Amino acid sequence: MVKRARVLIDCEDAKGLVYHISKVFYDRGLNIENNREFVDSEKGRFFMRSVVTGEFDAKELHEALVSVVPEDAHVRVIEPRSKKIVLMATKESHCLGDILIRWAAGELEAEIEAVISNRDNLRELTRRFDIPFLYIPSDNLERKEHEKQILEVLDELSFDYIVLAKYMRILSSDFVHHFPERIINIHHSFLPAFIGANPYKQAHARGVKIIGATAHFVTTDLDEGPIISQDVIPVNHRFEWKDMQRAGKDVEKIVLARALSLVLNDRVFVHGNKTIVF
Amino acid sequence: MVKRARVLIDCEDAKGLVYHISKVFYDRGLNIENNREFVDSEKGRFFMRSVVTGEFDAKELHEALVSVVPEDAHVRVIEPRSKKIVLMATKESHCLGDILIRWAAGELEAEIEAVISNRDNLRELTRRFDIPFLYIPSDNLERKEHEKQILEVLDELSFDYIVLAKYMRILSSDFVHHFPERIINIHHSFLPAFIGANPYKQAHARGVKIIGATAHFVTTDLDEGPIISQDVIPVNHRFEWKDMQRAGKDVEKIVLARALSLVLNDRVFVHGNKTIVF
Amino acid sequence: MVKRARVLIDCEDAKGLVYHISKVFYDRGLNIENNREFVDSEKGRFFMRSVVTGEFDAKELHEALVSVVPEDAHVRVIEPRSKKIVLMATKESHCLGDILIRWAAGELEAEIEAVISNRDNLRELTRRFDIPFLYIPSDNLERKEHEKQILEVLDELSFDYIVLAKYMRILSSDFVHHFPERIINIHHSFLPAFIGANPYKQAHARGVKIIGATAHFVTTDLDEGPIISQDVIPVNHRFEWKDMQRAGKDVEKIVLARALSLVLNDRVFVHGNKTIVF
Amino acid sequence: MVKRARVLIDCEDAKGLVYHISKVFYDRGLNIENNREFVDSEKGRFFMRSVVTGEFDAKELHEALVSVVPEDAHVRVIEPRSKKIVLMATKESHCLGDILIRWAAGELEAEIEAVISNRDNLRELTRRFDIPFLYIPSDNLERKEHEKQILEVLDELSFDYIVLAKYMRILSSDFVHHFPERIINIHHSFLPAFIGANPYKQAHARGVKIIGATAHFVTTDLDEGPIISQDVIPVNHRFEWKDMQRAGKDVEKIVLARALSLVLNDRVFVHGNKTIVF
């Protein structure tokens, strides 16, 4: 039976990698629909993403590939299927709503297992789309205890990625370590950056002419981690900080959607604190 | 004789300002060609820039305006004339070259009095345009002594603005205090920001997807001060840090030219650490 | 009672307009919160939008203003209220969904009276937001007869603007003449432009590197009329035409939302075939 | 001796192409520094650009590659060398000046053989950079005769590409046929497009909110042909048409420089009326 697979390989660079890998495809009569490679010459690292079609056994193909690449290689043979995501949000609806609309239009390329929130504000919006809304209030709870409750809920669910659609509580390193390269976050970005409370107020006070948004994998703290996608829009002195915030929401939702689509299509490699996006 | 003036007023907000100011114009039979106002409601501050034409005496017009606005007002009646600038640069030629080309095409709206540099690299380029190149080497000189020599040279020149076209030595507060709101700088900008040596290397290591540039007035240190103009361009993992730097140069020169044009047209108000750009 | 009004004036340019108008405000003790003017010097036309607060009678204020401006002036004194819109759509949900999400979040600045569609596809999405979905099938109907049915439905509704959220049937001049400057449309835009069936296929065949969207008032045919807002995104050879279409949807929905917000805030003047957007 | 080559292959798509090509590299012990492929699935066309290093004989490598790819293949083995260009311009200096500045900074990756112009305006600017300025006046000359004179001059020169840096006379098909895929042009672009005299006046009259520029290979008429690079900037109603033109110049020069750099780095494939840009 003719099938399709996304093959992702990430390893130490070495001579002949493309040859050896393409030989594996060729020997099995597979057709390469799409192929992208990149060598990070500074770090001596090779990245390759191929979409192949033909008759193959995924396990056998994986083993064959592993046998021709360096030992440290990370080889994945992914047969496309609809992925599953869990959304986490707090009270702003722009990112959550945008994802729900895409889902309802059949354009998300993922199923939404649930929306988890530490507030009750987004219950009605979520209900409109017949998605389970799991309210886990954080009031009067220490982060550790709150996260324990979330982890228990997540334990009952089956999912590939957690999408923080404006989830406004910082996640502990402990929590994050459960889901390496599986949590995607969106946050506002500025030139220059502003740290601390209400960055929009700070950006306004500084008179910035551009505001932006960054989508990234979550590593140890909320606003760092490998960047997947970024974009900006122009603002000016006539924007009050609330206008900047409003304008920022449009960038945030588009950048998050773009990042999510890239991840769901297995187009994003993470290496160290950066990404290679094919 | 019919003349034209740019009138800039910056004062505490008060009821009737537009009425009182426009009455001054009306009583003198002046025509308003262009008029922009802005009230920073948070700070209670009023900004107005009008271009008026007609027969007037600049001194009399200034006095009349001062008499109808709050005491703290800063009123300027500017009869357009070609301004004069001094350029300071170090070794990179993209910003300097861009300004020289605009000047040679008669599109700069300013005369270039001189190029001052702490290195000798840009002598030939400057000479091509028959502009004085003043080489004040900084090697083995303490900042204070170096700046003293620059100040002596500047003292002999007549100019409105100093443009730092990739001048890579940090200016002391002392130096800056000589030229309040008269020094314009350009520097690269990133989301997030990177502090310290070679930010392009850092941005590259972090895998940023956007790089930008910020033009600003210089206040007490090189990379802060009221922002005049900003822009960005997209980059990706295939950019080595030198490619990012090269791409960054194109943004830098355009953003600096845009900022300079705004300043030369008296379109920029500074208030606190931000600008109002009309 | 202290109230707020948006005052919009659009007239032949004349000396003293700002003075006379601000005198009307001053004499009534009104405070100008925000004021923008523009003179189209080529056409000799004056545009002004002021937000004033204080105690006033809208009718008296309107009359006072009319008495000081040229006879051809169009003077509006608008006391902010939530406006009403009717959405028209066909089968794509990205623009409709985006507007519904903003509405549900209380961020639309308008009430949605109904969604009218010539297809049944968007019924479920509309129903999720408890908005009336009025299905007026166009199959086997001549345009004239179909529009007659729509006009009958519109006649029963009270609304300020019609928003074409990807309504894919061309409206006749007759229909459009019923709602001058009251119909807003969004359509994809390219450099260069492509005319005829499936412009995305044409843009793809031509290898464009940028695709965009234009929001505009509808005049006599679907894709012309005064432009309110535009934006673009980069694409490249790896985009199939369907990818371009998908990317285009994100631009379309943001540009339409931006245009709608400008119109709802009474920030858009139309003069001839262009707009002045304050 | 270790050398570097850019290998460009463009052929009908077929199974095993990557394998066969990479085997040629592997068998010769060549290292792949950089590799990009693209399959235009609609047209069944394969494109590949590899940068390889090692010891090789260019002729032998070329023959080996030709022997493993389909008969219609266009195979190029390019050993990087500084390319040569001829610039053609008329009277605007922004594009010419930008290229000259890059050249003077050693950043152009090409030598400039000469500037050919049908007007005398740019002589002084060109002279500043010690580049030959060849004035071939077009006044009172039919296009055919004028182009004959240009061709005679070009015949004496050795060059890879002709860059139209705002050359404002339309080139005949005859002229263009002499230099297939070797003439690069820049022109302003709008959404929508405007045809005929002074498009900036038309764009202004239409109130466009975005203006842009397109760099492309010249085919049979001046403003068509495969697009290499495009970009845009925002404008608004306060821009007179001359302001739009001025702003447009900044986009034009950056887009032309970007396109030229891509071409000089052998990164651009042309297929039909579109480009693949690696």
Short mmCIF file of all heavy atoms in Angstrom, two decimals, chain D residues 192-221:
data_model
loop_
_atom_site.label_atom_id
_atom_site.label_comp_id
_atom_site.label_asym_id
_atom_site.label_seq_id
_atom_site.Cartn_x
_atom_site.Cartn_y
_atom_site.Cartn_z
N PRO D 192 -3.96 48.19 -6.07
CA PRO D 192 -3.85 47.47 -7.33
C PRO D 192 -2.76 48.06 -8.22
O PRO D 192 -2.17 49.08 -7.86
CB PRO D 192 -5.24 47.71 -7.94
CG PRO D 192 -5.64 49.05 -7.43
CD PRO D 192 -5.11 49.09 -6.03
N ALA D 193 -2.54 47.44 -9.35
CA ALA D 193 -1.54 47.95 -10.28
C ALA D 193 -2.10 49.14 -11.04
O ALA D 193 -3.31 49.26 -11.23
CB ALA D 193 -1.15 46.84 -11.26
N PHE D 194 -1.23 50.04 -11.46
CA PHE D 194 -1.64 51.17 -12.28
C PHE D 194 -0.84 51.17 -13.57
O PHE D 194 0.38 51.05 -13.53
CB PHE D 194 -1.45 52.49 -11.53
CG PHE D 194 -2.27 52.56 -10.28
CD1 PHE D 194 -1.70 52.30 -9.05
CD2 PHE D 194 -3.62 52.80 -10.36
CE1 PHE D 194 -2.48 52.33 -7.89
CE2 PHE D 194 -4.41 52.83 -9.21
CZ PHE D 194 -3.84 52.58 -7.98
N ILE D 195 -1.53 51.28 -14.65
CA ILE D 195 -0.88 51.22 -15.95
C ILE D 195 -0.87 52.61 -16.55
O ILE D 195 -1.80 53.40 -16.34
CB ILE D 195 -1.61 50.20 -16.86
CG1 ILE D 195 -1.30 48.79 -16.33
CG2 ILE D 195 -1.18 50.33 -18.31
CD1 ILE D 195 -2.32 47.77 -16.74
N GLY D 196 0.18 52.94 -17.27
CA GLY D 196 0.22 54.23 -17.96
C GLY D 196 1.12 55.21 -17.26
O GLY D 196 1.92 54.85 -16.41
N ALA D 197 0.96 56.47 -17.62
CA ALA D 197 1.88 57.52 -17.18
C ALA D 197 1.75 57.78 -15.69
O ALA D 197 0.65 57.74 -15.12
CB ALA D 197 1.61 58.79 -17.97
N ASN D 198 2.87 58.09 -15.06
CA ASN D 198 2.94 58.46 -13.65
C ASN D 198 2.06 57.63 -12.72
O ASN D 198 1.05 58.11 -12.19
CB ASN D 198 2.59 59.94 -13.47
CG ASN D 198 3.21 60.45 -12.16
OD1 ASN D 198 3.34 59.67 -11.21
ND2 ASN D 198 3.59 61.71 -12.10
N PRO D 199 2.42 56.40 -12.48
CA PRO D 199 1.62 55.54 -11.60
C PRO D 199 1.53 56.09 -10.18
O PRO D 199 0.55 55.82 -9.49
CB PRO D 199 2.35 54.20 -11.64
CG PRO D 199 3.70 54.49 -12.16
CD PRO D 199 3.57 55.69 -13.03
N TYR D 200 2.54 56.85 -9.73
CA TYR D 200 2.46 57.40 -8.38
C TYR D 200 1.30 58.39 -8.26
O TYR D 200 0.60 58.42 -7.26
CB TYR D 200 3.79 58.09 -7.98
CG TYR D 200 4.83 57.10 -7.53
CD1 TYR D 200 5.90 56.77 -8.34
CD2 TYR D 200 4.73 56.47 -6.29
CE1 TYR D 200 6.86 55.84 -7.93
CE2 TYR D 200 5.67 55.55 -5.87
CZ TYR D 200 6.74 55.24 -6.70
OH TYR D 200 7.67 54.33 -6.29
N LYS D 201 1.08 59.18 -9.31
CA LYS D 201 -0.07 60.09 -9.31
C LYS D 201 -1.37 59.29 -9.24
O LYS D 201 -2.31 59.66 -8.53
CB LYS D 201 -0.06 60.96 -10.57
CG LYS D 201 0.71 62.26 -10.41
CD LYS D 201 0.37 63.25 -11.53
CE LYS D 201 1.16 64.54 -11.36
NZ LYS D 201 1.11 65.39 -12.57
N GLN D 202 -1.40 58.20 -9.98
CA GLN D 202 -2.60 57.37 -9.97
C GLN D 202 -2.81 56.71 -8.61
O GLN D 202 -3.93 56.65 -8.09
CB GLN D 202 -2.49 56.28 -11.04
CG GLN D 202 -2.54 56.78 -12.46
CD GLN D 202 -2.53 55.61 -13.44
OE1 GLN D 202 -3.46 54.82 -13.51
NE2 GLN D 202 -1.44 55.48 -14.19
N ALA D 203 -1.72 56.20 -8.04
CA ALA D 203 -1.82 55.54 -6.74
C ALA D 203 -2.28 56.54 -5.68
O ALA D 203 -3.08 56.22 -4.79
CB ALA D 203 -0.46 54.96 -6.35
N HIS D 204 -1.79 57.76 -5.79
CA HIS D 204 -2.17 58.81 -4.87
C HIS D 204 -3.66 59.14 -5.02
O HIS D 204 -4.39 59.26 -4.03
CB HIS D 204 -1.31 60.06 -5.14
CG HIS D 204 -1.65 61.21 -4.26
ND1 HIS D 204 -2.42 62.26 -4.69
CD2 HIS D 204 -1.36 61.45 -2.97
CE1 HIS D 204 -2.57 63.11 -3.68
NE2 HIS D 204 -1.94 62.65 -2.64
N ALA D 205 -4.10 59.26 -6.26
CA ALA D 205 -5.50 59.59 -6.51
C ALA D 205 -6.42 58.49 -5.98
O ALA D 205 -7.56 58.73 -5.60
CB ALA D 205 -5.73 59.79 -8.01
N ARG D 206 -5.90 57.27 -5.97
CA ARG D 206 -6.70 56.12 -5.53
C ARG D 206 -6.59 55.91 -4.03
O ARG D 206 -7.29 55.07 -3.45
CB ARG D 206 -6.18 54.88 -6.29
CG ARG D 206 -6.94 53.62 -6.08
CD ARG D 206 -8.29 53.66 -6.79
NE ARG D 206 -8.88 52.34 -6.79
CZ ARG D 206 -9.34 51.74 -5.71
NH1 ARG D 206 -9.34 52.39 -4.57
NH2 ARG D 206 -9.83 50.53 -5.77
N GLY D 207 -5.68 56.63 -3.37
CA GLY D 207 -5.55 56.52 -1.91
C GLY D 207 -5.00 55.20 -1.43
O GLY D 207 -5.43 54.69 -0.40
N VAL D 208 -4.04 54.62 -2.14
CA VAL D 208 -3.48 53.34 -1.70
C VAL D 208 -2.78 53.51 -0.35
O VAL D 208 -2.30 54.59 -0.02
CB VAL D 208 -2.49 52.75 -2.72
CG1 VAL D 208 -3.16 52.52 -4.05
CG2 VAL D 208 -1.27 53.63 -2.87
N LYS D 209 -2.73 52.45 0.41
CA LYS D 209 -2.12 52.48 1.74
C LYS D 209 -0.77 51.76 1.76
O LYS D 209 -0.11 51.68 2.80
CB LYS D 209 -3.07 51.82 2.75
CG LYS D 209 -4.51 52.35 2.75
CD LYS D 209 -4.61 53.85 2.97
CE LYS D 209 -6.07 54.33 2.98
NZ LYS D 209 -6.16 55.79 2.82
N ILE D 210 -0.40 51.20 0.64
CA ILE D 210 0.86 50.45 0.54
C ILE D 210 1.46 50.70 -0.84
O ILE D 210 0.75 50.69 -1.84
CB ILE D 210 0.59 48.94 0.73
CG1 ILE D 210 0.53 48.59 2.22
CG2 ILE D 210 1.66 48.10 0.05
CD1 ILE D 210 0.19 47.16 2.49
N ILE D 211 2.77 50.94 -0.88
CA ILE D 211 3.44 50.96 -2.18
C ILE D 211 4.65 50.04 -2.11
O ILE D 211 5.21 49.81 -1.04
CB ILE D 211 3.87 52.37 -2.62
CG1 ILE D 211 4.82 52.99 -1.59
CG2 ILE D 211 2.66 53.27 -2.81
CD1 ILE D 211 5.36 54.32 -2.03
N GLY D 212 5.06 49.52 -3.26
CA GLY D 212 6.12 48.53 -3.23
C GLY D 212 7.01 48.59 -4.45
O GLY D 212 6.94 49.51 -5.26
N ALA D 213 7.90 47.61 -4.51
CA ALA D 213 8.82 47.51 -5.63
C ALA D 213 9.04 46.04 -5.97
O ALA D 213 8.97 45.18 -5.09
CB ALA D 213 10.15 48.17 -5.28
N THR D 214 9.29 45.79 -7.24
CA THR D 214 9.50 44.44 -7.74
C THR D 214 10.78 44.42 -8.57
O THR D 214 10.93 45.22 -9.48
CB THR D 214 8.31 44.01 -8.64
OG1 THR D 214 7.12 43.99 -7.84
CG2 THR D 214 8.54 42.63 -9.24
N ALA D 215 11.69 43.49 -8.25
CA ALA D 215 12.87 43.28 -9.08
C ALA D 215 12.63 41.99 -9.86
O ALA D 215 12.15 41.00 -9.30
CB ALA D 215 14.12 43.16 -8.24
N HIS D 216 12.95 42.02 -11.15
CA HIS D 216 12.64 40.87 -12.00
C HIS D 216 13.61 40.78 -13.16
O HIS D 216 14.27 41.77 -13.52
CB HIS D 216 11.20 40.99 -12.52
CG HIS D 216 10.99 42.21 -13.37
ND1 HIS D 216 11.03 42.18 -14.73
CD2 HIS D 216 10.78 43.49 -13.02
CE1 HIS D 216 10.84 43.40 -15.20
NE2 HIS D 216 10.69 44.22 -14.19
N PHE D 217 13.69 39.61 -13.73
CA PHE D 217 14.42 39.47 -14.98
C PHE D 217 13.58 40.09 -16.09
O PHE D 217 12.34 39.97 -16.08
CB PHE D 217 14.66 37.98 -15.31
CG PHE D 217 15.77 37.37 -14.51
CD1 PHE D 217 15.51 36.37 -13.59
CD2 PHE D 217 17.08 37.81 -14.66
CE1 PHE D 217 16.54 35.80 -12.85
CE2 PHE D 217 18.11 37.25 -13.92
CZ PHE D 217 17.84 36.24 -13.01
N VAL D 218 14.24 40.72 -17.04
CA VAL D 218 13.51 41.32 -18.14
C VAL D 218 13.32 40.28 -19.24
O VAL D 218 14.28 39.63 -19.66
CB VAL D 218 14.29 42.53 -18.70
CG1 VAL D 218 13.55 43.11 -19.92
CG2 VAL D 218 14.45 43.58 -17.63
N THR D 219 12.10 40.10 -19.63
CA THR D 219 11.82 39.24 -20.77
C THR D 219 11.46 40.13 -21.95
O THR D 219 12.30 40.87 -22.43
CB THR D 219 10.71 38.22 -20.42
OG1 THR D 219 9.63 38.92 -19.81
CG2 THR D 219 11.25 37.18 -19.45
N THR D 220 10.23 40.10 -22.41
CA THR D 220 9.97 40.85 -23.63
C THR D 220 9.53 42.30 -23.43
O THR D 220 9.70 43.11 -24.31
CB THR D 220 8.93 40.13 -24.50
OG1 THR D 220 7.86 39.75 -23.64
CG2 THR D 220 9.55 38.89 -25.14
N ASP D 221 8.98 42.62 -22.27
CA ASP D 221 8.73 44.05 -22.07
C ASP D 221 9.19 44.47 -20.69
O ASP D 221 9.47 43.64 -19.83
CB ASP D 221 7.28 44.43 -22.33
CG ASP D 221 6.38 43.96 -21.24
OD1 ASP D 221 6.55 42.78 -20.82
OD2 ASP D 221 5.51 44.71 -20.79
#
